[in-house]
């Protein structure tokens, strides 16, 4: 199974404004590989995940393509009708691990009941206990309600729900939010295991340390655009885009120096490079929008 995103853009229409949430995104993700989509909060990362699954609100306009290719007849997730997404894609071809798993669980039903319902809807014959065991849960953990689950348990329940239909592609949207470092490491190790088992995994995160543990490739997003695509090892040893360098320099394990300034509002993006006001390399050339155009970085000075 391969995911190929080609020119994906998302706009939200508001009274008197238009939010440019994702602009001309292009990347590929193959089976057995993990792509980490990283960047500051509010840059459009989670919108990308919801666009792939058709989970955007009614005021969104999505253009471009997102091909899910597993054989002779690729499926364009952008053009697919809701019936196809609901019956063929969600849970069966793409499993979603949502941000803040406990908040996505039904509060008045046990984890067991929710796993059983998901298995039944997907037509699976496995038992909730078997699914829980694969996710590192004990059978008695399933008899708890969401408010009785620790952060780690809720994360494992979310993992089990995402894997219930045995999907070839997993989308993990900020899977480490609110977790302490040992649980972050355990969650990343589980996602890495899914890759090693042959699944494709898209991890959306602002946690670069977590991304380094699991990713084969890195896509850096800034102000709705992907500005750098790289293999993970060369990215962490020497990123090309000045924004990517700023993200790494802000880590406590590195220089611990934050990027000055703030990202632009997605309702008022400039015509040129959106990073220009914060960039130490900015020149007059940056008044023109740098594009990837087959390159691995969108920067005039990379």
């Amino acid at each position: 199974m391969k995911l190929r995103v080609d020119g994906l853009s998302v706009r939200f229409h508001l009274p008197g404004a238009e939010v440019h949430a994702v602009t001309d995104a292009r990347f590929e993700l193959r089976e057995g590989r993990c792509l980490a989509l990283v960047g500051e909060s509010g840059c459009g990362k989670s919108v990308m995940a919801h666009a792939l699954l058709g989970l955007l609100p009614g005021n969104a306009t999505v253009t471009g393509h997102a091909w899910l290719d597993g054989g002779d007849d690729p499926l364009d997730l952008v053009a697919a009708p809701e019936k196809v997404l609901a019956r063929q894609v969600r849970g069966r071809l793409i499993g979603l691990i949502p941000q803040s798993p406990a908040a996505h669980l039904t509060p008045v039903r046990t984890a067991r009941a929710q796993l059983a319902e998901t298995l039944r809807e997907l037509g699976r014959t496995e038992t909730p206990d078997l699914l829980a065991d694969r996710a590192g849960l004990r059978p008695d953990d399933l008899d708890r309600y969401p408010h009785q689950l620790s952060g780690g348990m809720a994360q494992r329940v979310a993992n089990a729900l995402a894997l219930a239909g045995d999907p070839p592609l997993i989308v993990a949207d900020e899977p480490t939010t609110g977790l302490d470092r040992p649980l972050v490491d355990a969650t990343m190790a589980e996602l890495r295991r899914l890759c090693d088992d042959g699944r494709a995994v898209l991890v959306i995160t602002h946690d670069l340390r977590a991304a380094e543990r699991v990713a084969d490739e890195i896509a850096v997003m800034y102000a709705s655009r992907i500005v750098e695509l790289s293999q993970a090892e060369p990215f962490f040893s020497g990123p090309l885009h000045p924004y990517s360098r700023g993200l790494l320099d802000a880590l406590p394990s590195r220089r611990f120096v934050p990027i000055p300034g703030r990202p632009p509002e997605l309702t008022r993006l400039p015509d040129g490079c959106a990073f220009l006001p914060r960039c130490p390399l900015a020149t007059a050339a940056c008044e023109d929008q740098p594009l990837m155009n087959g390159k691995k970085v969108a920067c005039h000075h990379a």
Side-chain angles (χ1 to χ4, degrees):
M1 180 66 67
K2 179 176 73 173
L3 173 67
R4 179 165 55 88
V5 174
D6 185 10
L8 182 68
S9 295
V10 180
R11 301 286 181 266
F12 293 110
H13 306 284
L14 304 176
E18 186 174 70
V19 179
H20 296 247
V22 179
T23 302
D24 197 29
R26 301 173 188 271
F27 63 86
E28 288 190 2
L29 175 58
R30 297 178 178 273
E31 61 185 16
R33 305 287 286 179
C34 175
L35 172 69
L37 182 61
V38 304
E40 292 167 292
S41 297
C43 68
K45 304 187 302 297
S46 292
V47 173
M48 181 95 71
H50 294 163
L52 296 176
L53 287 156
L55 296 176
L56 296 174
N59 67 333
T61 297
V62 185
T63 57
H65 304 280
W67 300 102
L68 201 57
D69 189 356
D72 297 330
D73 190 16
L75 173 65
D76 187 356
L77 299 171
V78 173
E82 171 60 23
K83 180 182 291 187
V84 171
L85 293 172
R87 297 183 179 180
Q88 299 180 26
V89 176
R90 299 184 196 124
R92 292 175 171 86
L93 295 178
I94 303 178
L96 174 65
I97 300 175
Q99 186 175 356
S100 304
H104 285 76
L105 298 173
T106 304
V108 296
R109 303 185 67 197
T110 65
R112 181 184 301 280
Q114 295 181 62
L115 281 172
E117 180 183 30
T118 300
L119 289 166
R120 184 170 59 252
E121 290 295 322
L122 294 173
R124 307 293 295 187
T125 59
E126 293 93 335
T127 65
D129 285 356
L130 179 60
L131 203 59
D133 181 65
R134 291 176 183 169
L137 290 163
R138 299 172 301 180
D140 58 336
D141 292 334
L142 297 184
D143 297 318
R144 303 187 184 199
Y145 291 90
H147 73 275
Q148 297 173 316
L149 298 172
S150 67
M153 286 181 182
Q155 183 65 58
R156 293 186 181 98
V157 171
N159 292 353
L161 288 167
L163 294 172
D166 196 26
L169 171 61
I170 298 293
V171 176
D173 184 12
E174 297 284 5
T176 62
T177 298
L179 302 182
D180 58 25
R181 185 50 58 178
L183 285 176
V184 168
D185 293 342
T187 299
M188 290 297 104
E190 173 62 17
L191 292 175
R192 185 65 251 176
R193 185 188 67 78
L194 295 176
C195 288
D196 295 340
D197 286 345
R199 288 180 174 85
V201 176
L202 174 62
V203 177
I204 295 166
T205 183
H206 63 273
D207 187 339
L208 285 169
R209 180 177 169 187
E212 188 174 13
R213 289 184 59 88
V214 69
D216 299 294
E217 287 100 24
I218 301 290
V220 182
M221 199 167 184
Y222 184 76
S224 86
R225 291 182 179 272
I226 293 178
V227 297
E228 182 168 357
L229 279 169
S230 175
Q231 297 294 310
E233 186 174 348
F235 174 82
F236 285 103
S237 61
L240 299 177
H241 198 283
Y243 174 63
S244 304
R245 291 198 291 273
L247 288 177
L248 289 178
D249 284 344
L251 293 174
S253 59
R254 301 210 178 191
R255 295 179 58 200
F256 205 23
V257 177
I259 302 174
R262 300 178 62 182
E265 296 180 15
L266 296 183
T267 55
R268 296 190 298 176
L269 292 178
D271 293 331
C273 177
F275 190 58
L276 187 156
R278 309 173 74 188
C279 182
L281 304 180
T283 65
C286 304
E287 297 290 344
D288 295 326
Q289 177 66 56
L291 300 175
M292 302 285 277
N293 288 337
K295 303 182 295 182
K296 295 301 181 183
V297 60
C299 179
H300 295 298
H301 305 294

